[in-house]
């Protein structure tokens, strides 16, 4: 089964390598079947050097005996363990040095085999910060004792002593607030990472299963009179692949934005080409009887912006319009070009967004109450708005439940000379 995790291709490579924390997957015998770059760097190993190795290679020898029993008990009960499970663990690097870690554990099964995925964080910096806080507190207590003794000897020094104590108290409070903020952020990050991994697992599993089923059925329809059925299954495969490609683009976009690598590639391109590409990709996902109305005779203007980001934004909004609209409905895309801006309006006749959910619709991972049963990640609108704001644009919407939604996108037209 180790080969299963090594041959997943681009999707799992992106998911593993995009994570800033270490990710290690072991089988029921505690042998490593998958590991990302962050984990290899954390433990000081070269690429693929940890594959097939026993997990004990990364655990100090004095913990080997107990860890074996803990692992068997964990597999038997198959319970997830969140980050910061009330104890500090230690890892051992290739050079033999020990360092403290926290590990979140997620058991799962694949093809009848049991595996455990660990999300690992090096907490050396945090523990050093806590030690410094402890030292600061100890130092402060010693100073208070000294100042109290001096107070009994000289009343004249009371004012100066009081000032010193107040200053020390402020520094102590500031340090305590700093560590509290750091710990809270770490907890929130851990929860977000766990939620992200769970979301990724669910959103990729469903379309992949659909692709496999349709491919199997398509192989059976080889006769001429069965071509309609074969085309139907091939259409399903194209639809699922298109969906996976959109999710992958969204995840890549999130990684770029969160890691500060979201540089934009501005260039001159054809507005007509952009619109045709977006419509062509959207047509693959149309339901029966749905149609997209758009300006087919639009003037072939040349724009200066990031073409790929605009395509991503328009595809996200148009894809939502298709997904949340019933069959036999029309979706309208309007384009208005001025000297300094370009406006896109995308209007559907779908289920709309509940009024109580509208204020949250651009939050990452949020999904409206009437969309929870549909496939989706809840990140498309968040990514779209973030990109548009970064490029000097904006996005807004009007929606009424059971009547439809209209998104309005505004993007500045930049000057290549600036």
């Amino acid at each position: 089964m180790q080969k299963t995790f090594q041959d997943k291709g681009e999707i799992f490579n992106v998911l593993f390598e995009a994570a800033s924390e270490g990710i290690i997957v072991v089988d029921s015998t505690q042998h490593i079947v998958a590991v990302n770059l962050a984990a290899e760097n954390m433990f000081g190993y070269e690429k693929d050097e940890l594959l097939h190795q026993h997990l004990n290679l990364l655990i100090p020898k004095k913990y080997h005996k107990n860890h074996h029993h803990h692992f068997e008990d964990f597999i038997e009960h198959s319970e997830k363990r969140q980050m910061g499970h009330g104890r500090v663990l230690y890892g051992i690097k290739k050079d033999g040095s020990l360092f403290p870690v926290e590990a979140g554990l997620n058991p799962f099964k694949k093809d009848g085999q049991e595996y455990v995925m660990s999300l690992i964080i090096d907490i050396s910096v945090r523990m050093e910060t806590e030690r410094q806080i402890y030292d600061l507190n100890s130092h402060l207590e010693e100073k208070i004792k000294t100042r109290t003794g001096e107070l009994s000897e000289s009343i004249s020094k009371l004012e100066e002593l009081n000032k010193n104590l107040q200053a020390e108290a402020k520094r102590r409070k500031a340090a305590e607030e700093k560590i509290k903020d750091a710990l809270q952020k770490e907890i929130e990050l851990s929860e977000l990472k766990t939620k992200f991994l769970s979301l990724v697992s669910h959103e990729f599993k469903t379309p992949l299963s659909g692709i496999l089923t349709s491919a199997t059925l398509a192989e059976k329809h080889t006769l001429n009179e069965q071509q309609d059925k074969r085309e139907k299954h091939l259409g399903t495969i194209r639809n699922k692949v298109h969906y996976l490609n959109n999710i992958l683009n969204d995840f890549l976009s999130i990684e770029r934005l969160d890691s500060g690598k979201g540089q934009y590639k501005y260039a001159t391109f054809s507005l007509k080409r952009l619109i045709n590409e977006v419509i062509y990709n959207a047509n693959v996902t149309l339901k029966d009887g749905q149609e997209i109305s758009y300006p087919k005779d639009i003037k072939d203007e040349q724009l200066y912006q990031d073409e790929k980001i605009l395509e991503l934004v328009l595809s996200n909004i148009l894809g939502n319009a298709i997904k949340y609209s019933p069959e036999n409905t029309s979706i309208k895309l309007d384009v208005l070009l001025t000297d300094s801006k370009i406006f896109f309006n995308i209007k559907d006749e779908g289920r709309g967004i509940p009024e109580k959910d509208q204020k949250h619709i651009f939050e990452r991972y949020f999904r409206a109450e009437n969309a929870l049963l549909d496939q989706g990640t809840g990140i498309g609108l968040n990514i779209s708005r973030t990109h548009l704001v970064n490029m000097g644009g904006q996005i807004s919407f009007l929606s009424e439940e059971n009547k439809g939604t209209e998104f309005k996108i505004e993007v500045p037209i930049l000057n290549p000379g600036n």
Side-chain angles (χ1 to χ4, degrees):
M1 292 305 302
Q2 295 172 345
K3 182 173 176 54
T4 299
F5 288 90
Q6 297 169 18
D7 293 336
K8 285 301 182 182
E10 182 183 6
I11 293 175
F12 284 103
N13 286 336
V14 169
L15 297 178
F16 264 48
E17 303 307 331
S20 58
E21 285 68 35
I23 300 177
I24 296 177
V25 180
V26 299
D27 60 20
S28 58
T29 67
Q30 300 188 56
H31 284 83
I32 298 171
V33 297
V35 58
N36 71 344
L37 180 61
E40 292 170 336
N41 292 338
M42 186 183 300
F43 287 90
Y45 286 88
E46 299 294 331
K47 180 173 177 59
D48 297 335
E49 193 175 358
L50 286 173
L51 288 178
H52 316 310
Q53 299 293 333
H54 196 280
L55 186 60
N56 280 345
L57 181 66
L58 307 180
I59 301 173
K61 289 184 178 180
K62 64 179 181 179
Y63 299 118
H64 285 184
K65 182 177 180 180
N66 289 335
H67 181 268
H68 178 72
H69 297 302
H70 290 325
F71 184 88
E72 290 182 346
D73 184 66
F74 178 80
I75 288 294
E76 181 178 351
H77 292 89
S78 296
E79 297 176 349
K80 292 185 178 181
R81 197 185 82 190
Q82 303 293 326
M83 284 290 181
H85 197 55
R87 53 183 168 179
V88 176
L89 307 175
Y90 287 88
I92 182 169
K93 297 186 178 184
K94 184 177 181 179
D95 62 8
S97 60
L98 303 183
F99 65 105
V101 300
E102 280 186 352
L105 305 180
N106 290 275
F108 65 98
K109 288 185 177 181
K110 176 66 178 177
D111 298 332
Q113 299 295 319
E114 294 181 317
Y115 300 90
V116 176
M117 178 173 62
S118 298
L119 183 64
I120 303 171
I121 297 178
D122 183 345
I123 60 173
S124 302
V125 175
R126 192 186 80 187
M127 293 190 67
E128 175 60 19
T129 303
E130 292 174 342
R131 184 194 66 77
Q132 292 177 3
I133 293 297
Y134 177 80
D135 291 344
L136 177 61
N137 288 338
S138 299
H139 180 62
L140 177 59
E141 292 172 359
E142 185 63 29
K143 274 199 170 186
I144 291 175
K145 292 178 182 179
T146 302
R147 296 297 186 267
T148 302
E150 293 174 353
L151 180 62
S152 64
E153 298 176 0
S154 177
I155 298 300
S156 61
K157 296 182 179 180
L158 178 60
E159 184 176 351
E160 181 182 356
L161 174 60
N162 186 47
K163 291 181 180 179
N164 289 336
L165 288 176
Q166 289 180 349
E168 291 290 350
K170 287 181 180 180
R171 284 195 289 270
R172 177 177 179 177
K173 184 177 180 180
E176 289 176 346
E177 290 297 326
K178 183 179 179 180
I179 192 63
K180 285 180 181 178
D181 289 343
L183 290 173
Q184 182 61 34
K185 289 179 180 179
E186 202 165 305
I187 291 173
E188 292 174 356
L189 178 62
S190 173
E191 292 175 349
L192 185 61
K193 293 293 184 182
T194 300
K195 183 177 181 180
F196 175 78
L197 290 175
S198 176
L199 173 68
V200 167
S201 176
H202 177 268
E203 288 303 319
F204 276 99
K205 182 178 180 180
T206 301
L208 285 173
S209 297
I211 291 172
L212 179 60
T213 300
S214 294
T216 301
L217 294 174
E219 287 180 344
K220 297 180 180 180
H221 300 308
T222 58
L223 302 178
N224 290 335
E225 59 269 22
Q226 296 176 319
Q227 288 308 300
D228 288 345
K229 294 182 179 180
R230 183 180 179 88
E231 285 297 327
K232 180 180 179 181
H233 294 309
L234 292 177
T236 298
I237 293 173
R238 287 193 297 270
N239 190 298
K240 298 296 184 183
V241 170
H242 184 76
Y243 175 74
L244 286 174
N245 184 63
N246 286 341
I247 291 181
L248 185 59
N249 286 336
D250 285 346
F251 286 152
L252 286 171
S253 194
I254 277 187
E255 193 277 332
R256 288 176 60 200
L257 290 174
D258 288 350
S259 63
K261 298 179 181 178
Q263 300 95 341
Y264 295 94
K265 299 178 180 179
Y266 297 103
T268 301
F269 62 92
S270 164
L271 173 61
K272 188 172 184 178
R273 182 183 67 195
L274 170 67
I275 298 300
N276 288 338
E277 185 68 19
V278 170
I279 297 299
Y280 177 82
N281 291 329
N283 281 334
V284 177
T285 64
L286 286 176
K287 300 175 184 176
D288 289 341
Q290 282 186 337
E291 63 175 1
I292 302 175
S293 172
Y294 67 99
K296 300 179 178 60
D297 57 348
I298 188 171
K299 188 177 180 181
D300 194 13
E301 296 283 352
Q302 296 297 305
L303 303 181
Y304 186 75
Q305 256 293 352
D306 189 319
E307 181 179 6
K308 290 301 180 183
I309 294 299
L310 280 181
E311 182 181 334
L312 173 67
V313 171
L314 294 175
S315 295
N316 271 334
I317 306 302
L318 199 56
N320 283 345
I322 294 170
K323 182 193 303 184
Y324 300 122
S325 295
E327 297 177 353
N328 302 309
T329 56
S330 177
I331 298 159
K332 188 175 183 181
L333 168 63
D334 286 326
V335 183
L336 174 63
L337 194 66
T338 68
D339 291 338
S340 60
K341 294 181 180 179
I342 182 169
F343 300 87
F344 300 96
N345 273 34
I346 298 176
K347 187 175 183 180
D348 63 55
E349 302 170 358
R351 68 187 67 166
I353 304 168
E355 185 175 355
K356 66 184 181 65
D357 291 336
Q358 291 185 11
K359 62 183 178 180
H360 302 293
I361 204 67
F362 289 111
E363 296 175 7
R364 186 176 298 179
Y365 302 124
F366 178 81
R367 305 197 69 204
E369 187 179 65
N370 61 352
L372 295 178
L373 298 181
D374 296 279
Q375 281 188 332
T377 61
I379 61 179
L381 288 178
N382 175 266
I383 291 172
S384 297
R385 185 179 67 169
T386 302
H387 279 311
L388 287 170
V389 171
N390 288 347
M391 296 191 303
Q394 60 184 7
I395 182 172
S396 61
F397 70 92
L398 296 173
S399 184
E400 187 173 350
E401 197 166 4
N402 299 320
K403 290 189 176 181
T405 302
E406 179 179 9
F407 274 91
K408 301 179 180 181
I409 299 169
E410 177 181 328
V411 184
I413 299 175
L414 304 180
N415 187 338
N418 294 338

